[in-house]
Amino acid sequence: MNVYVTKQMTLTAAVEDNYNNLTAENRHAWFGDIKAKYKLGRCDLELQLNNLFDQRHYTRVTHSGLDIYTNTSQLRPRNIIATVRFKLL
């Protein structure tokens, strides 16, 4: 979802639920990100919060014929990223 607060400022939010019915616990893996972007002349300022729900593990399930494969990954913890971009031309 994008919200255009002003002509210079944009707020973006994204949320996703991944459901896994093979495990008895932690069936839902919630992911979310929030970003604020501000344009100031020839400079873009951006502040981003990743892994909003601090999900530490993600299990992916794939089916191939009669076989079921699972792959569990460890994820980065919640983090904040600040970015400054300059337009040179």
Side-chain angles (χ1 to χ4, degrees), residues 5-86:
V5 180
T6 64
K7 189 175 181 180
Q8 293 85 15
M9 185 171 199
T10 305
L11 300 176
T12 304
V15 176
E16 180 180 330
D17 174 31
N18 288 304
Y19 180 74
N20 173 7
N21 63 354
L22 292 181
T23 60
E25 54 188 49
N26 296 332
R27 289 186 175 201
H28 293 273
W30 287 92
F31 299 102
D33 298 323
I34 296 175
K35 178 171 57 172
K37 186 174 183 179
Y38 187 76
K39 294 183 179 187
L40 185 64
R42 298 177 66 99
C43 179
D44 290 347
L45 307 172
E46 190 174 293
L47 186 64
Q48 188 171 357
L49 175 63
N50 295 319
N51 198 359
L52 185 64
F53 303 109
D54 204 22
Q55 187 72 23
R56 298 294 177 109
H57 302 280
Y58 172 67
T59 301
R60 180 178 177 199
V61 179
T62 56
H63 302 273
S64 175
L66 297 175
D67 298 325
I68 298 174
Y69 301 100
T70 61
N71 183 13
T72 301
S73 302
Q74 292 183 349
L75 303 175
R76 235 182 343 191
R78 182 182 306 130
N79 59 63
I80 297 175
I81 299 173
T83 306
V84 178
R85 290 189 178 104
F86 298 98

